Each structure stands twice: as C-alpha cells, then as structure tokens.
Amino acid sequence: MNSVENLYKLLLEHLQLVEVVTTQDVEQLTGMKRSVTSLYLNQLADQGRLVKTNTRPVNFRLPSKKGNSFRTFIGYDGSVKNQIEQCKSAVTYPPHGLPILIHGSSGVGKSYLAKLIHQYAIEKKVVTEDAPFVVLNCADYANNKELLSSLLFGYVKGAFSGAEKDTHGLINEAEGGYLFLDEVHNLSAENQEKLFLLIDEKKYRPMGSNAEWQQANVRLIMATTEDPESSLLVTLKRRIPFDVFLPDFSQRSFSEKEKLIFSFLDEERKQLDCSLQVGEDYIIELIQSNYRGNIGEIRNRIKADCAKAYNKAKTDEPLVIGTGHFLSIKEKNKEFTETFQEEETYIGNFGFIGFEEAGQKAQNLIDELYHSYFLNKHFSKRLSYQSDLERYVQKKMALQKYLTSKGVEIEEADLNKIILLAVLLQYDPSSELINIKDGSEARYNYHKFFKLAEGVLQVLFLQNTSINENGLSVLAAYLNRVLEISTKINALIIMHGHKNAQTLANTVNQLVKDFVFESFDLPMDVSAETLIAEVNEYIKKYNTSDGLVLLVDMGSLEQMYQSIQGNVTGDLLIMNNVSTSLALDVGLKLSQRQKITQLEQLALEDFAVSKQYFAGVSQKTNLLISCISGEGIALKIKDILSKYVNTDEIELLSIDYSKLKELLQKDQKTLFKDTVAILTTSPVEKAVVPIINIEGIINGAANLDLLASFFQADELKKCTNEIIKLFTLEGAAARLNFLNPAMVIDEVEEVIEKYEEFYQIHIDNFMRINLFLHLSAMIERILTGDGIDESDEGITALPLYQPFKETSAHFFTAIEQKYKLKIPDGELEMIFLIIQQQL
C-alpha cells in the first residue's frame, strides 16, 4: 500500500472523530513534512475521496453521504428532531434559503450544528461542493463596532486611519456559501441594521463607501447564548423565520447523554491508542451532572480524567476510570454506532395511528420480543443493547414499588415487558416503531397513563424525558393496554409541606388499589393565588369533561371555586380540611366509578369539611369563535376582537369546528349557559345560543350588534371593518409571516381554480378568501414543521375522499416542488371538508 493510501486509511478513522482537518492537523498527526502532506491531501481531493473546502484555513473532510449530514448530531432523531427539521427547511427554501438563528447556553453544540447546516446545503446541492463556510465570533470585537463592521462588510481606502487600500470583508469571502456569525448579540444596533438590509435586499456597502451598493449571495447562520427577544433588534429578529433552540445537556434524553459521553470517551481511547474501561458509577455521575458549560465542559472533564488515568497507568494495562460495573468503551461505542442490517419482522412503520391502536401494536410487538428474549433467551439483533436490558431488569423491584405506590397491581411478566419496551424506545428512537397521530390529544385524554409512563422512565433512566414525545406516547398507550385505572374522574390532593400530598395520595391509591389521586405538594409559604394558578395550569392541559375533585388542606373555598370553575368543562367539587379518612372515602367511591353528583351528597359532618360544587363548561361570560378551515383563522378573528372588546367582561374562546359540533351534541343549556353567541364561518344547527355567521357580516346580512354592550363607542364599527378586511386577499396576505404574498396569491388561486374546474363549481368570494387564508397558512405551517399530520378515519372512509386525494396530489405538484414540501394527509382532509361545503 503506497503512502497516499496509508494516509487515506488513517484519515478515514480520524475523520470519524472530527469533522474536518487542516494541512497542519495532518502534519502533526502523521509527522510528514508540510509540503508532502499538502500534496497528498490535494491528490485525495482531486480523486473525490476528500472534499477541499473554500475556508480560511483550507479544510479537508470526507464527502457527504446522502441524507447523512445531521446524523452525527446526537439527538437528531430525538430531543432535537424538530430543530433539525427547521434547519433542513431553512436550507432548502427557494431560491437562496432562509436565515437561521441558533440559540442556547454555552457548550450545547451551536457551532457544530452550523457546520452541519453547511454540509447539508452541499448535500442537497443548493450550494456548490466548494461553497465557503466563513465564521466570525462577534464577541471578539464587542468593544469595537467599527472594526467589526470593517471585518464584516469590508472597507474602502481612506475609510479610517490605516485603511491604505480597498479591502473585502467576510461577506464577500462567503459569497455563494454560508456566513456564520457566532455570539451575534454583540453586534451593535447599527451593524444589525446593516445585516437586515443584507437579508432583505442582498446588498451592502463597504465601510466608508458612498458608491453603488454591492450585491451578495450569502446565506446567514447566527448564534447567541442570550435571549434573542431581548438581545436583538426587533427589526432583525422579525427577518429570521427559523429560531432554533438547542437544549442544555441536562434537558437531553438519557440515551443521548450516554451516546455523547461514550463518543467522547471513545475519542480519547483512539487518541491515546489504548484500551479503556469505565465504571458505571462514573457514567451515571456524568449523566446526572449539571455543568454550566454543558457538552463542552463534560468533554473537557472526560479529557482531563483520561489524561490522569493515562499518566498513572502501567504499560499495556487498560486505562480504568471510576468504580462499579465496568464497561469496555470500545465495545460500548460499537453498540451505539452499529447499523442494524439484519432483516427483522418485529418492527415496522405502521403509519400514523390512534392512541388505542398504538397500544395494541405495542402489545403485539412486545409480546413477541418477550417470548423471544425472556423465555427463549434468543436476543434479537434489533435489540443489540442486551447488556443494557439486563441492567434495567435489575431495577424491577424499584419499578414495582413505584407502580404499587400509584395503586397499580402488576404481574412480574408485565413488569419485564414494560422494561423491554422502555429500553427499546430509549435506545432505538430512530426506529419509529409506532407513530401516534396526535400525542398532545392523547395526553389530554389519557394523561394518567402518561404520568405513569414518565414515572417508569424516572425509575429506569433517572429522568422522565428520556425518550421523545412519540416514544412517551407509545409507552403510555401500552400501559393503557396492560394496566387498569377504574376512575375516569380527575382527582387532586393539594397540601402544603414536603411530600404531604404525595404521601397521602399514594397511601389512598395503594389502599383502594387504583390510581385515583394525583398530588400537588406546595411550600408552606405559597399563597392561595399561587395554588389556584397551579390548578388552572393542570386544568388547561388535561380533559376535565368527566369532572374534577379537589381535596385541599387549607384556603378559601369560595376564592378557589370562583377562580377555577370557569376552566373546568365538567363538574367541579372542592373540599377542604383534607384528611386520610376523607381521602380514603372519596377515593373508594371514585374507584367504584361513582359520579361527582353522588360525591356531592356525602355526609361531611364527620370529616369537618365544607365544599363547593359546580357543573358546566366555560363559566365566564364568553364568545365562542369557530372556523371550519381550522382554529388558526378563528385565532386571527379572536386577535381582532381582543383589540376592541373589554376582555375582563367577556372571554373570547377559539374552538375547533369539530369540537364545537361535539359539544353541541351534549347538554347545551349547561355547557353554553354563559355563552353570549357563537361566531362562525359555517352553518350551525340546533344551538341554544345565537349564531353570528361571519359570511353574513362580510355581505352585510349580519352584524355584531349582539355584542355591542362589550364595545366602547365607535369601536364596534372599526372591529367589523377589520374582520371584513381580513376576508379580502389584501387583508389575508398581510397576515402571512414570511411567504411572499404576491407569489402565494397566484399559486393558491391556481389550486382553487383547479378545484372549480374539476368539480364544475364556482366558489363564492367568501369561501374563496377562506380557502386562501387556509392554504397560505398551511404552506407556512408545513415549512415550519407544524403541519397537521394526524388523519381522521371518519373522513378518509367517505366515498368522495379518495378521488379528492388523488386529484389533489396533481393540483399541489407545483407548490410541493417549489417549496420542497409534502402536503400531509391531515391537511388534505381539512381542505376536503372546506370544498365539500361548496358541493
């Protein structure tokens, strides 16, 4: 093997540890002369086996593999999955991408992510293979804005003392590629203003120049450790559609922390060219650490510890760090980096499915894996982390103790299965074994199972955020299949003092053998207002349509009742002076599925308790606002109304149209007893409250006079005019955040015309604007990763839907190709509902 091949083999291994190398790096690594090193590196670049980047100094890296740029960022398929999708959208947005702001604490990986964005742009061929990546740390020049301006924009001869010739700046150097401005908050207001002119018009002037503007084709990435809202000019912040937040190390998942730590340890193993063994206690210590410097500080800690161990080690002996059960770093890192290529039948992509179906799928999957591993000891290659599973099975007793404290009884086999699923979800998040179509809705309706899932993860992995939201939903769905919770009514015990509420709730749950009570433990000095705020936050997150029972240790019942009742959609019962006997009596009745109306009849003399009871939906005087084309438009109408009405006198509530229809099927007199009217874009039948149709307001057939008492003089007319303006092309376009209105109007109009031609209909002006609002907002949602993915089986089963879906695929081809996006099924179903109104 010749010298060039030897060097290439060495670089293949070294470039697994670092992203790029310079000629000087390779010179130090190999001991070769600089001229020879440069010659060999350039030969490898000419052969296409290395990529030579147009940077200062020149860097060399391995060619990008398709779809692989972000895979080296640990957590790309987990805790930072949404952030990575934001970066991809910004890179591919035509024609020159969109600026990106990365923010987070020091040491979380902002600079590394910026480099990967540059790699991804090359991979997607939106910039050339040799596109520059130029870096400027603005903090280095924080006290000299003139020098920073000259470095960034360049300067002309005579611009300042010592400016002896025209000099290009970093913007010119980054032409055709990326300019990365680190610690961008150090830019002066003047330089920030110059920057947003560059973003808007792709032009700038060198310092001291009054000549013609210079054009620049430069993509911008900015990073800051400060709060962007307070550290950047509003005018600059407004021009950055993608605000990418990177979490601290402490906020990362358990497996991501492990992967980061083991990758750093493996770097040191390779650098020191030795065998390295690390005690599990050392890994746990690092996982639980909360260094201010985050990943960077942990990396330095590992380097220092390895250096100390290396200095003390004897020749040919492995380096040993920590105590307890020892892990081989080479073998452990191999587990993390190994690609599963063996064909498996266990796991497949089931598409986006509902919570109940997901539980069934998870149960089928785990039953098969359990039979394979626990009973036959045949370990699937898909689950390559055999040693880890064995570690967590040792925590079986702790897990059983936790579930028992919540009133859940469970067999040993089911405990093993829960551990098996948790480990699978923890260590293989990229498998996406089951995709739940709406995790937030599932949490809203099944939150006790989510609480149990978080507790399971806390016991096993020391934290309750160790898997992504979909993984947590899958675990909760599985627990919903295998565990039983009898009561459907939410019940809280709220007490002051350390773990008083938790202890009482757990005691009652164990005695009644049901997960009846959740608990809030409050410091002794917490006020009633804080307590009420905590309860209201709880109510907002979870479904209270079956009712809510509160047992509290002290405080004004009347004050709590008045402040909480308006946020509960079902019955509300509050009791004070909580005791074990009261909690046990209430817990038994809830476990027996008694209704709150039956609890309200409790004889409380023996408990020295008073109570408050209420039934209803939102109990403040309110106006409901609904739109068939999505809650987003209802929110825009709400925003307009909130500028004119006194919101202390009337609560404005936006509500999804399907949810409104569901509520209309229930006891309307109770649910809508405080509702003044329903303001809607679509017909509503059989309602006990007045309906104000927005289409009628637009064409003059209806008005807002019913709400006149909530407006000040002359404000009603202004509000009406603004709502009418919203439903014009100009008004709708003005509410786009970053799409070009002039272009979007034509693109969306073309789609609407295709629907008219296909269905042989004429879409009236009101619905036309409604559609424009919906479709333009939909494009923005998808580009920012917020598109509606979940599918409604009730809609997809309709006979007219499939031909609509097939036809729509052709109608949106131009938009999908231009914006590099795919219209999700959930969005198509919403469009279908709107179009059906016209047939």
Side-chain angles (χ1 to χ4, degrees), residues 93-94 180-181 210 234 288 291 293 295 314 352 388 410 416 420 429 490-491 651 678 681 696 734 750 762 782 789 828:
Y93 189 87
F180 174 44
L181 300 177
N210 292 316
V234 173
Q288 294 181 305
Y291 293 121
I295 297 169
K314 296 180 180 179
F352 286 93
D388 293 297
I410 187 168
N416 288 331
L420 180 57
N490 294 291
E651 185 177 13
I678 299 174
T681 59
E750 186 176 337
H762 172 70
I782 298 171
D789 292 325
L828 283 177

Side-chain angles (χ1 to χ4, degrees), residues 451-466:
K451 290 278 187 183
L452 290 175
E454 289 171 348
V456 167
L457 298 175
Q458 182 73 44
V459 171
L460 295 178
F461 307 117
L462 310 178
Q463 62 186 73
N464 59 18
T465 56
S466 51

Side-chain angles (χ1 to χ4, degrees), residues 752 755-756 761-768 771 835 838:
I752 294 173
Y755 280 122
E756 286 182 317
I761 58 173
H762 172 70
I763 298 177
D764 58 53
N765 287 339
F766 175 73
M767 188 54 72
R768 199 175 211 86
L771 263 175
I835 294 294
Q838 298 290 293

Side-chain angles (χ1 to χ4, degrees), residues 444-458:
Y444 180 74
N445 291 311
Y446 297 89
H447 84 273
K448 284 191 178 180
F449 291 101
F450 278 82
K451 290 278 187 183
L452 290 175
E454 289 171 348
V456 167
L457 298 175
Q458 182 73 44

